[in-house]
PDB file of all heavy atoms in Angstrom:
ATOM      1  N   GLY A   8      48.701 -12.670 160.399  1.00  0.00           N
ATOM      2  CA  GLY A   8      48.477 -13.378 159.147  1.00  0.00           C
ATOM      3  C   GLY A   8      49.776 -13.779 158.490  1.00  0.00           C
ATOM      4  O   GLY A   8      50.858 -13.386 158.903  1.00  0.00           O
ATOM      5  N   GLY A   9      49.662 -14.577 157.421  1.00  0.00           N
ATOM      6  CA  GLY A   9      50.846 -14.991 156.680  1.00  0.00           C
ATOM      7  C   GLY A   9      50.886 -16.485 156.482  1.00  0.00           C
ATOM      8  O   GLY A   9      50.213 -17.245 157.186  1.00  0.00           O
ATOM      9  N   GLY A  10      51.695 -16.919 155.514  1.00  0.00           N
ATOM     10  CA  GLY A  10      51.752 -18.328 155.169  1.00  0.00           C
ATOM     11  C   GLY A  10      52.330 -19.204 156.256  1.00  0.00           C
ATOM     12  O   GLY A  10      51.795 -20.282 156.565  1.00  0.00           O
ATOM     13  N   ILE A  11      53.439 -18.785 156.851  1.00  0.00           N
ATOM     14  CA  ILE A  11      54.044 -19.580 157.922  1.00  0.00           C
ATOM     15  C   ILE A  11      53.131 -19.597 159.142  1.00  0.00           C
ATOM     16  O   ILE A  11      52.993 -20.629 159.817  1.00  0.00           O
ATOM     17  CB  ILE A  11      55.440 -19.036 158.273  1.00  0.00           C
ATOM     18  CG1 ILE A  11      56.413 -19.289 157.110  1.00  0.00           C
ATOM     19  CG2 ILE A  11      55.968 -19.679 159.553  1.00  0.00           C
ATOM     20  CD1 ILE A  11      57.809 -18.763 157.332  1.00  0.00           C
ATOM     21  N   VAL A  12      52.474 -18.464 159.402  1.00  0.00           N
ATOM     22  CA  VAL A  12      51.500 -18.404 160.495  1.00  0.00           C
ATOM     23  C   VAL A  12      50.417 -19.463 160.306  1.00  0.00           C
ATOM     24  O   VAL A  12      50.089 -20.229 161.207  1.00  0.00           O
ATOM     25  CB  VAL A  12      50.853 -16.999 160.550  1.00  0.00           C
ATOM     26  CG1 VAL A  12      49.637 -17.008 161.463  1.00  0.00           C
ATOM     27  CG2 VAL A  12      51.859 -15.978 161.034  1.00  0.00           C
ATOM     28  N   ARG A  13      49.832 -19.494 159.095  1.00  0.00           N
ATOM     29  CA  ARG A  13      48.758 -20.437 158.817  1.00  0.00           C
ATOM     30  C   ARG A  13      49.259 -21.871 158.911  1.00  0.00           C
ATOM     31  O   ARG A  13      48.562 -22.753 159.431  1.00  0.00           O
ATOM     32  CB  ARG A  13      48.208 -20.160 157.403  1.00  0.00           C
ATOM     33  CG  ARG A  13      46.967 -20.932 157.027  1.00  0.00           C
ATOM     34  CD  ARG A  13      45.778 -20.508 157.861  1.00  0.00           C
ATOM     35  NE  ARG A  13      45.493 -21.440 158.951  1.00  0.00           N
ATOM     36  CZ  ARG A  13      44.586 -21.233 159.866  1.00  0.00           C
ATOM     37  NH1 ARG A  13      43.880 -20.124 159.883  1.00  0.00           N
ATOM     38  NH2 ARG A  13      44.364 -22.123 160.804  1.00  0.00           N
ATOM     39  N   TYR A  14      50.476 -22.101 158.445  1.00  0.00           N
ATOM     40  CA  TYR A  14      51.035 -23.443 158.517  1.00  0.00           C
ATOM     41  C   TYR A  14      51.179 -23.877 159.971  1.00  0.00           C
ATOM     42  O   TYR A  14      50.805 -24.998 160.336  1.00  0.00           O
ATOM     43  CB  TYR A  14      52.387 -23.483 157.814  1.00  0.00           C
ATOM     44  CG  TYR A  14      52.959 -24.870 157.677  1.00  0.00           C
ATOM     45  CD1 TYR A  14      52.784 -25.605 156.512  1.00  0.00           C
ATOM     46  CD2 TYR A  14      53.668 -25.463 158.729  1.00  0.00           C
ATOM     47  CE1 TYR A  14      53.302 -26.884 156.387  1.00  0.00           C
ATOM     48  CE2 TYR A  14      54.183 -26.741 158.611  1.00  0.00           C
ATOM     49  CZ  TYR A  14      54.002 -27.448 157.441  1.00  0.00           C
ATOM     50  OH  TYR A  14      54.515 -28.721 157.327  1.00  0.00           O
ATOM     51  N   ASN A  15      51.754 -22.996 160.797  1.00  0.00           N
ATOM     52  CA  ASN A  15      51.942 -23.339 162.206  1.00  0.00           C
ATOM     53  C   ASN A  15      50.612 -23.636 162.890  1.00  0.00           C
ATOM     54  O   ASN A  15      50.482 -24.608 163.638  1.00  0.00           O
ATOM     55  CB  ASN A  15      52.653 -22.204 162.934  1.00  0.00           C
ATOM     56  CG  ASN A  15      54.125 -22.105 162.588  1.00  0.00           C
ATOM     57  OD1 ASN A  15      54.731 -23.079 162.156  1.00  0.00           O
ATOM     58  ND2 ASN A  15      54.694 -20.927 162.763  1.00  0.00           N
ATOM     59  N   GLN A  16      49.611 -22.797 162.626  1.00  0.00           N
ATOM     60  CA  GLN A  16      48.304 -23.023 163.237  1.00  0.00           C
ATOM     61  C   GLN A  16      47.731 -24.373 162.826  1.00  0.00           C
ATOM     62  O   GLN A  16      47.209 -25.123 163.662  1.00  0.00           O
ATOM     63  CB  GLN A  16      47.348 -21.900 162.821  1.00  0.00           C
ATOM     64  CG  GLN A  16      47.689 -20.551 163.405  1.00  0.00           C
ATOM     65  CD  GLN A  16      46.801 -19.448 162.863  1.00  0.00           C
ATOM     66  OE1 GLN A  16      45.851 -19.708 162.131  1.00  0.00           O
ATOM     67  NE2 GLN A  16      47.109 -18.211 163.208  1.00  0.00           N
ATOM     68  N   ASP A  17      47.822 -24.676 161.546  1.00  0.00           N
ATOM     69  CA  ASP A  17      47.213 -25.910 161.055  1.00  0.00           C
ATOM     70  C   ASP A  17      48.068 -27.140 161.350  1.00  0.00           C
ATOM     71  O   ASP A  17      47.607 -28.266 161.188  1.00  0.00           O
ATOM     72  CB  ASP A  17      46.948 -25.803 159.553  1.00  0.00           C
ATOM     73  CG  ASP A  17      45.774 -24.870 159.261  1.00  0.00           C
ATOM     74  OD1 ASP A  17      44.945 -24.657 160.166  1.00  0.00           O
ATOM     75  OD2 ASP A  17      45.687 -24.362 158.144  1.00  0.00           O
ATOM     76  N   LEU A  18      49.299 -26.915 161.767  1.00  0.00           N
ATOM     77  CA  LEU A  18      50.112 -28.016 162.283  1.00  0.00           C
ATOM     78  C   LEU A  18      49.755 -28.299 163.736  1.00  0.00           C
ATOM     79  O   LEU A  18      49.599 -29.454 164.141  1.00  0.00           O
ATOM     80  CB  LEU A  18      51.594 -27.669 162.168  1.00  0.00           C
ATOM     81  CG  LEU A  18      52.581 -28.693 162.731  1.00  0.00           C
ATOM     82  CD1 LEU A  18      52.489 -30.022 161.973  1.00  0.00           C
ATOM     83  CD2 LEU A  18      54.002 -28.152 162.695  1.00  0.00           C
ATOM     84  N   PHE A  19      49.605 -27.247 164.530  1.00  0.00           N
ATOM     85  CA  PHE A  19      49.369 -27.423 165.959  1.00  0.00           C
ATOM     86  C   PHE A  19      47.968 -27.929 166.268  1.00  0.00           C
ATOM     87  O   PHE A  19      47.779 -28.672 167.226  1.00  0.00           O
ATOM     88  CB  PHE A  19      49.616 -26.106 166.703  1.00  0.00           C
ATOM     89  CG  PHE A  19      51.029 -25.629 166.668  1.00  0.00           C
ATOM     90  CD1 PHE A  19      51.336 -24.282 166.831  1.00  0.00           C
ATOM     91  CD2 PHE A  19      52.074 -26.514 166.463  1.00  0.00           C
ATOM     92  CE1 PHE A  19      52.643 -23.844 166.802  1.00  0.00           C
ATOM     93  CE2 PHE A  19      53.386 -26.078 166.424  1.00  0.00           C
ATOM     94  CZ  PHE A  19      53.669 -24.731 166.596  1.00  0.00           C
ATOM     95  N   GLU A  20      46.976 -27.521 165.474  1.00  0.00           N
ATOM     96  CA  GLU A  20      45.594 -27.862 165.818  1.00  0.00           C
ATOM     97  C   GLU A  20      45.323 -29.367 165.839  1.00  0.00           C
ATOM     98  O   GLU A  20      44.692 -29.857 166.770  1.00  0.00           O
ATOM     99  CB  GLU A  20      44.636 -27.111 164.901  1.00  0.00           C
ATOM    100  CG  GLU A  20      44.542 -25.636 165.289  1.00  0.00           C
ATOM    101  CD  GLU A  20      43.804 -24.784 164.282  1.00  0.00           C
ATOM    102  OE1 GLU A  20      43.111 -25.367 163.418  1.00  0.00           O
ATOM    103  OE2 GLU A  20      43.927 -23.547 164.353  1.00  0.00           O
ATOM    104  N   PRO A  21      45.796 -30.158 164.849  1.00  0.00           N
ATOM    105  CA  PRO A  21      45.580 -31.597 164.966  1.00  0.00           C
ATOM    106  C   PRO A  21      46.440 -32.239 166.043  1.00  0.00           C
ATOM    107  O   PRO A  21      46.077 -33.264 166.601  1.00  0.00           O
ATOM    108  CB  PRO A  21      45.941 -32.133 163.571  1.00  0.00           C
ATOM    109  CG  PRO A  21      46.864 -31.125 163.015  1.00  0.00           C
ATOM    110  CD  PRO A  21      46.373 -29.808 163.542  1.00  0.00           C
ATOM    111  N   LEU A  22      47.588 -31.618 166.348  1.00  0.00           N
ATOM    112  CA  LEU A  22      48.434 -32.156 167.411  1.00  0.00           C
ATOM    113  C   LEU A  22      47.861 -31.859 168.793  1.00  0.00           C
ATOM    114  O   LEU A  22      48.211 -32.533 169.767  1.00  0.00           O
ATOM    115  CB  LEU A  22      49.841 -31.559 167.314  1.00  0.00           C
ATOM    116  CG  LEU A  22      50.657 -31.911 166.067  1.00  0.00           C
ATOM    117  CD1 LEU A  22      52.008 -31.211 166.114  1.00  0.00           C
ATOM    118  CD2 LEU A  22      50.845 -33.420 165.953  1.00  0.00           C
ATOM    119  N   ALA A  23      46.980 -30.856 168.862  1.00  0.00           N
ATOM    120  CA  ALA A  23      46.460 -30.427 170.158  1.00  0.00           C
ATOM    121  C   ALA A  23      45.676 -31.526 170.862  1.00  0.00           C
ATOM    122  O   ALA A  23      45.568 -31.530 172.088  1.00  0.00           O
ATOM    123  CB  ALA A  23      45.586 -29.190 169.982  1.00  0.00           C
ATOM    124  N   GLY A  24      45.131 -32.466 170.105  1.00  0.00           N
ATOM    125  CA  GLY A  24      44.422 -33.568 170.725  1.00  0.00           C
ATOM    126  C   GLY A  24      45.339 -34.576 171.388  1.00  0.00           C
ATOM    127  O   GLY A  24      44.900 -35.383 172.204  1.00  0.00           O
ATOM    128  N   GLU A  25      46.618 -34.522 171.025  1.00  0.00           N
ATOM    129  CA  GLU A  25      47.585 -35.484 171.551  1.00  0.00           C
ATOM    130  C   GLU A  25      48.634 -34.830 172.443  1.00  0.00           C
ATOM    131  O   GLU A  25      49.379 -35.516 173.115  1.00  0.00           O
ATOM    132  CB  GLU A  25      48.319 -36.169 170.382  1.00  0.00           C
ATOM    133  CG  GLU A  25      47.401 -36.806 169.361  1.00  0.00           C
ATOM    134  CD  GLU A  25      46.638 -37.970 169.942  1.00  0.00           C
ATOM    135  OE1 GLU A  25      47.198 -38.653 170.819  1.00  0.00           O
ATOM    136  OE2 GLU A  25      45.492 -38.193 169.522  1.00  0.00           O
ATOM    137  N   ALA A  26      48.708 -33.497 172.404  1.00  0.00           N
ATOM    138  CA  ALA A  26      49.823 -32.827 173.053  1.00  0.00           C
ATOM    139  C   ALA A  26      49.388 -31.535 173.722  1.00  0.00           C
ATOM    140  O   ALA A  26      48.403 -30.908 173.330  1.00  0.00           O
ATOM    141  CB  ALA A  26      50.923 -32.547 172.038  1.00  0.00           C
ATOM    142  N   GLU A  27      50.158 -31.132 174.719  1.00  0.00           N
ATOM    143  CA  GLU A  27      50.060 -29.800 175.302  1.00  0.00           C
ATOM    144  C   GLU A  27      51.177 -28.973 174.680  1.00  0.00           C
ATOM    145  O   GLU A  27      52.351 -29.363 174.753  1.00  0.00           O
ATOM    146  CB  GLU A  27      50.223 -29.870 176.816  1.00  0.00           C
ATOM    147  CG  GLU A  27      50.237 -28.511 177.491  1.00  0.00           C
ATOM    148  CD  GLU A  27      50.605 -28.609 178.958  1.00  0.00           C
ATOM    149  OE1 GLU A  27      50.622 -29.739 179.497  1.00  0.00           O
ATOM    150  OE2 GLU A  27      50.893 -27.558 179.561  1.00  0.00           O
ATOM    151  N   ILE A  28      50.835 -27.867 174.041  1.00  0.00           N
ATOM    152  CA  ILE A  28      51.806 -27.090 173.270  1.00  0.00           C
ATOM    153  C   ILE A  28      51.912 -25.685 173.847  1.00  0.00           C
ATOM    154  O   ILE A  28      50.912 -24.987 174.007  1.00  0.00           O
ATOM    155  CB  ILE A  28      51.395 -27.010 171.782  1.00  0.00           C
ATOM    156  CG1 ILE A  28      51.206 -28.424 171.216  1.00  0.00           C
ATOM    157  CG2 ILE A  28      52.436 -26.243 170.971  1.00  0.00           C
ATOM    158  CD1 ILE A  28      50.619 -28.439 169.808  1.00  0.00           C
ATOM    159  N   VAL A  29      53.130 -25.280 174.170  1.00  0.00           N
ATOM    160  CA  VAL A  29      53.407 -23.925 174.640  1.00  0.00           C
ATOM    161  C   VAL A  29      54.168 -23.209 173.534  1.00  0.00           C
ATOM    162  O   VAL A  29      55.251 -23.640 173.135  1.00  0.00           O
ATOM    163  CB  VAL A  29      54.229 -23.928 175.942  1.00  0.00           C
ATOM    164  CG1 VAL A  29      54.519 -22.496 176.391  1.00  0.00           C
ATOM    165  CG2 VAL A  29      53.496 -24.693 177.039  1.00  0.00           C
ATOM    166  N   VAL A  30      53.585 -22.119 173.016  1.00  0.00           N
ATOM    167  CA  VAL A  30      54.130 -21.415 171.857  1.00  0.00           C
ATOM    168  C   VAL A  30      54.752 -20.092 172.302  1.00  0.00           C
ATOM    169  O   VAL A  30      54.098 -19.277 172.951  1.00  0.00           O
ATOM    170  CB  VAL A  30      53.027 -21.128 170.819  1.00  0.00           C
ATOM    171  CG1 VAL A  30      53.607 -20.402 169.603  1.00  0.00           C
ATOM    172  CG2 VAL A  30      52.339 -22.422 170.397  1.00  0.00           C
ATOM    173  N   LEU A  31      56.017 -19.879 171.919  1.00  0.00           N
ATOM    174  CA  LEU A  31      56.680 -18.597 172.152  1.00  0.00           C
ATOM    175  C   LEU A  31      57.068 -18.013 170.801  1.00  0.00           C
ATOM    176  O   LEU A  31      58.003 -18.486 170.158  1.00  0.00           O
ATOM    177  CB  LEU A  31      57.921 -18.764 173.032  1.00  0.00           C
ATOM    178  CG  LEU A  31      58.660 -17.449 173.359  1.00  0.00           C
ATOM    179  CD1 LEU A  31      57.763 -16.515 174.173  1.00  0.00           C
ATOM    180  CD2 LEU A  31      59.963 -17.733 174.100  1.00  0.00           C
ATOM    181  N   PRO A  32      56.343 -16.979 170.323  1.00  0.00           N
ATOM    182  CA  PRO A  32      56.650 -16.388 169.022  1.00  0.00           C
ATOM    183  C   PRO A  32      57.618 -15.212 169.128  1.00  0.00           C
ATOM    184  O   PRO A  32      57.713 -14.557 170.173  1.00  0.00           O
ATOM    185  CB  PRO A  32      55.278 -15.922 168.538  1.00  0.00           C
ATOM    186  CG  PRO A  32      54.557 -15.550 169.799  1.00  0.00           C
ATOM    187  CD  PRO A  32      55.088 -16.472 170.884  1.00  0.00           C
ATOM    188  N   ARG A  33      58.303 -14.926 168.011  1.00  0.00           N
ATOM    189  CA  ARG A  33      59.120 -13.719 167.932  1.00  0.00           C
ATOM    190  C   ARG A  33      58.257 -12.503 167.612  1.00  0.00           C
ATOM    191  O   ARG A  33      58.549 -11.395 168.051  1.00  0.00           O
ATOM    192  CB  ARG A  33      60.177 -13.879 166.832  1.00  0.00           C
ATOM    193  CG  ARG A  33      61.390 -14.718 167.201  1.00  0.00           C
ATOM    194  CD  ARG A  33      62.356 -13.990 168.121  1.00  0.00           C
ATOM    195  NE  ARG A  33      62.858 -12.741 167.586  1.00  0.00           N
ATOM    196  CZ  ARG A  33      63.916 -12.615 166.795  1.00  0.00           C
ATOM    197  NH1 ARG A  33      64.588 -13.687 166.415  1.00  0.00           N
ATOM    198  NH2 ARG A  33      64.319 -11.419 166.397  1.00  0.00           N
ATOM    199  N   TYR A  34      57.222 -12.706 166.793  1.00  0.00           N
ATOM    200  CA  TYR A  34      56.400 -11.598 166.324  1.00  0.00           C
ATOM    201  C   TYR A  34      54.922 -11.935 166.496  1.00  0.00           C
ATOM    202  O   TYR A  34      54.554 -13.091 166.647  1.00  0.00           O
ATOM    203  CB  TYR A  34      56.694 -11.287 164.850  1.00  0.00           C
ATOM    204  CG  TYR A  34      58.159 -11.119 164.563  1.00  0.00           C
ATOM    205  CD1 TYR A  34      58.880 -12.118 163.901  1.00  0.00           C
ATOM    206  CD2 TYR A  34      58.847  -9.977 164.972  1.00  0.00           C
ATOM    207  CE1 TYR A  34      60.237 -11.976 163.654  1.00  0.00           C
ATOM    208  CE2 TYR A  34      60.197  -9.830 164.730  1.00  0.00           C
ATOM    209  CZ  TYR A  34      60.890 -10.834 164.067  1.00  0.00           C
ATOM    210  OH  TYR A  34      62.234 -10.694 163.830  1.00  0.00           O
ATOM    211  N   GLY A  35      54.074 -10.894 166.428  1.00  0.00           N
ATOM    212  CA  GLY A  35      52.643 -11.120 166.508  1.00  0.00           C
ATOM    213  C   GLY A  35      52.064 -10.635 167.828  1.00  0.00           C
ATOM    214  O   GLY A  35      52.716  -9.964 168.623  1.00  0.00           O
ATOM    215  N   THR A  36      50.822 -11.003 168.061  1.00  0.00           N
ATOM    216  CA  THR A  36      50.104 -10.568 169.250  1.00  0.00           C
ATOM    217  C   THR A  36      49.157 -11.675 169.702  1.00  0.00           C
ATOM    218  O   THR A  36      48.712 -12.493 168.902  1.00  0.00           O
ATOM    219  CB  THR A  36      49.293  -9.292 168.966  1.00  0.00           C
ATOM    220  OG1 THR A  36      48.526  -8.956 170.125  1.00  0.00           O
ATOM    221  CG2 THR A  36      48.339  -9.496 167.790  1.00  0.00           C
ATOM    222  N   THR A  37      48.881 -11.682 170.981  1.00  0.00           N
ATOM    223  CA  THR A  37      47.892 -12.627 171.501  1.00  0.00           C
ATOM    224  C   THR A  37      46.480 -12.052 171.414  1.00  0.00           C
ATOM    225  O   THR A  37      45.513 -12.771 171.613  1.00  0.00           O
ATOM    226  CB  THR A  37      48.197 -12.968 172.966  1.00  0.00           C
ATOM    227  OG1 THR A  37      48.247 -11.752 173.732  1.00  0.00           O
ATOM    228  CG2 THR A  37      49.511 -13.710 173.097  1.00  0.00           C
ATOM    229  N   LYS A  38      46.366 -10.762 171.076  1.00  0.00           N
ATOM    230  CA  LYS A  38      45.049 -10.129 170.976  1.00  0.00           C
ATOM    231  C   LYS A  38      44.278 -10.716 169.793  1.00  0.00           C
ATOM    232  O   LYS A  38      44.765 -10.735 168.666  1.00  0.00           O
ATOM    233  CB  LYS A  38      45.196  -8.626 170.796  1.00  0.00           C
ATOM    234  CG  LYS A  38      43.874  -7.872 170.811  1.00  0.00           C
ATOM    235  CD  LYS A  38      44.086  -6.374 170.710  1.00  0.00           C
ATOM    236  CE  LYS A  38      42.761  -5.623 170.752  1.00  0.00           C
ATOM    237  NZ  LYS A  38      42.956  -4.145 170.661  1.00  0.00           N
ATOM    238  N   GLY A  39      43.090 -11.211 170.067  1.00  0.00           N
ATOM    239  CA  GLY A  39      42.269 -11.794 169.017  1.00  0.00           C
ATOM    240  C   GLY A  39      42.655 -13.211 168.648  1.00  0.00           C
ATOM    241  O   GLY A  39      42.030 -13.813 167.782  1.00  0.00           O
ATOM    242  N   ALA A  40      43.683 -13.755 169.278  1.00  0.00           N
ATOM    243  CA  ALA A  40      44.107 -15.121 168.973  1.00  0.00           C
ATOM    244  C   ALA A  40      43.164 -16.111 169.636  1.00  0.00           C
ATOM    245  O   ALA A  40      42.674 -15.875 170.747  1.00  0.00           O
ATOM    246  CB  ALA A  40      45.539 -15.350 169.467  1.00  0.00           C
ATOM    247  N   SER A  41      42.921 -17.220 168.966  1.00  0.00           N
ATOM    248  CA  SER A  41      42.021 -18.235 169.525  1.00  0.00           C
ATOM    249  C   SER A  41      42.587 -19.628 169.282  1.00  0.00           C
ATOM    250  O   SER A  41      42.046 -20.404 168.497  1.00  0.00           O
ATOM    251  CB  SER A  41      40.630 -18.112 168.894  1.00  0.00           C
ATOM    252  OG  SER A  41      40.721 -18.175 167.478  1.00  0.00           O
ATOM    253  N   PRO A  42      43.689 -19.966 169.950  1.00  0.00           N
ATOM    254  CA  PRO A  42      44.248 -21.309 169.809  1.00  0.00           C
ATOM    255  C   PRO A  42      43.375 -22.339 170.510  1.00  0.00           C
ATOM    256  O   PRO A  42      42.538 -21.989 171.351  1.00  0.00           O
ATOM    257  CB  PRO A  42      45.616 -21.185 170.494  1.00  0.00           C
ATOM    258  CG  PRO A  42      45.445 -20.080 171.482  1.00  0.00           C
ATOM    259  CD  PRO A  42      44.483 -19.120 170.843  1.00  0.00           C
ATOM    260  N   PRO A  43      43.553 -23.615 170.176  1.00  0.00           N
ATOM    261  CA  PRO A  43      42.825 -24.681 170.874  1.00  0.00           C
ATOM    262  C   PRO A  43      43.153 -24.669 172.366  1.00  0.00           C
ATOM    263  O   PRO A  43      44.185 -24.125 172.779  1.00  0.00           O
ATOM    264  CB  PRO A  43      43.336 -25.958 170.199  1.00  0.00           C
ATOM    265  CG  PRO A  43      43.897 -25.507 168.892  1.00  0.00           C
ATOM    266  CD  PRO A  43      44.425 -24.137 169.111  1.00  0.00           C
TER     267      PRO A  43
END
């Protein structure tokens, strides 16, 4: 969770229709994540 997290998610989701995005984070977990 967090503001930057939410911003990144809501930035990538509309771009996902036009782009293939590979995300490498410094922090967080892939458990429970549901990216496009």
Side-chain angles (χ1 to χ4, degrees):
I11 292 179
V12 168
R13 188 67 259 174
Y14 188 96
N15 287 337
Q16 291 175 6
D17 287 338
L18 177 63
F19 295 156
E20 285 170 15
L22 295 179
E25 306 294 327
E27 176 188 348
I28 305 172
V29 179
V30 181
L31 182 63
R33 282 285 302 274
Y34 309 105
T36 176
T37 56
K38 185 177 181 180
S41 55

